């Protein structure tokens, strides 16, 4: 369920934690691709996901196991074209952290242009465990 009020950020339920959407970007996953096959596109997508995960340790990629399995099986069906990435934050902090700050989680998925990314995000994050996936970010002084 998405809750929005005038002047407020969108709020999402992520497991037991309420989180606010700070950024959502939608990009063309095939941008710059001059030619190729669905299998090659899957391999390139998987490489870009692995690079993104190395840069962002608190990145959750929806359906990552399926994407990996499809690349191995050489599935010859084109993947959804839109790559979506969302950044969520929450005031929830781990009990063992004494510093002031917040927690943050980035979520990535792929979809067609016909899907509403905000509604899709709500579906993806609802069953996730924020406490094990999110990263603590201390306030800078």
């Amino acid at each position: 369920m998405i809750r929005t009020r005038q002047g407020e950020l969108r709020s999402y339920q992520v497991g037991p934690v309420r989180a606010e959407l700070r950024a959502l970007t939608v990009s063309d996953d095939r941008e710059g691709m001059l030619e190729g096959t669905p299998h090659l596109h899957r391999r390139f997508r998987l490489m870009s996901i692995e690079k993104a995960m190395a840069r962002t340790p608190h990145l959750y990629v929806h359906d990552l196991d399926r994407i990996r399995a499809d690349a191995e099986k050489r599935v010859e069906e084109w993947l959804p074209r839109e790559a979506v990435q969302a950044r969520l934050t929450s005031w929830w902090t781990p009990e063992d952290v004494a510093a002031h700050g917040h927690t943050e989680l980035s979520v990535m998925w792929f979809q067609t242009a016909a899907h509403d990314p905000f509604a899709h995000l709500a579906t993806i994050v609802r069953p996730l465990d924020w406490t094990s996936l999110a990263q603590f970010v201390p306030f800078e002084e």
Side-chain angles (χ1 to χ4, degrees):
M1 169 62 77
I2 303 170
R3 180 178 45 121
T4 306
R5 291 189 185 133
Q6 188 68 17
E8 290 186 358
L9 298 172
R10 289 180 185 244
S11 181
Y12 291 86
Q13 190 70 38
V14 185
V17 174
R18 294 295 297 173
E20 294 177 327
L21 179 63
R22 297 295 176 161
L24 186 133
T25 57
V26 180
S27 59
D28 184 349
D29 192 46
R30 294 187 209 155
E31 185 177 346
M33 237 179 123
L34 298 176
E35 61 181 56
T37 64
H39 179 254
L40 184 61
H41 180 226
R42 279 180 165 74
R43 292 188 58 211
F44 281 140
R45 178 178 278 178
L46 196 52
M47 287 189 313
S48 70
I49 289 170
E50 288 169 352
K51 286 179 186 177
M53 289 175 71
R55 285 190 313 267
T56 311
H58 57 280
L59 175 64
Y60 171 78
V61 180
H62 182 64
D63 283 340
L64 180 57
D65 291 336
R66 186 179 53 81
I67 293 168
R68 285 181 173 143
D70 285 352
E72 290 296 318
K73 289 191 289 188
R74 297 188 60 91
V75 174
E76 291 299 328
E77 175 184 318
W78 284 101
L79 292 166
R81 189 172 188 132
E82 289 188 341
V84 185
Q85 190 158 356
R87 186 172 59 85
L88 300 152
T89 63
S90 175
W91 291 114
W92 175 88
T93 56
E95 291 178 13
D96 60 342
V97 175
H100 297 287
H102 65 276
T103 47
E104 186 172 288
L105 176 66
S106 292
V107 180
M108 176 188 277
W109 72 94
F110 302 92
Q111 66 177 43
T112 63
H115 289 101
D116 174 11
F118 297 100
H120 202 160
L121 175 61
T123 304
I124 291 169
V125 298
R126 190 173 299 117
L128 297 181
D129 180 12
W130 181 274
T131 61
S132 66
L133 295 172
Q135 174 185 14
F136 177 74
V137 180
F139 288 135
E140 295 180 13
E141 295 182 24

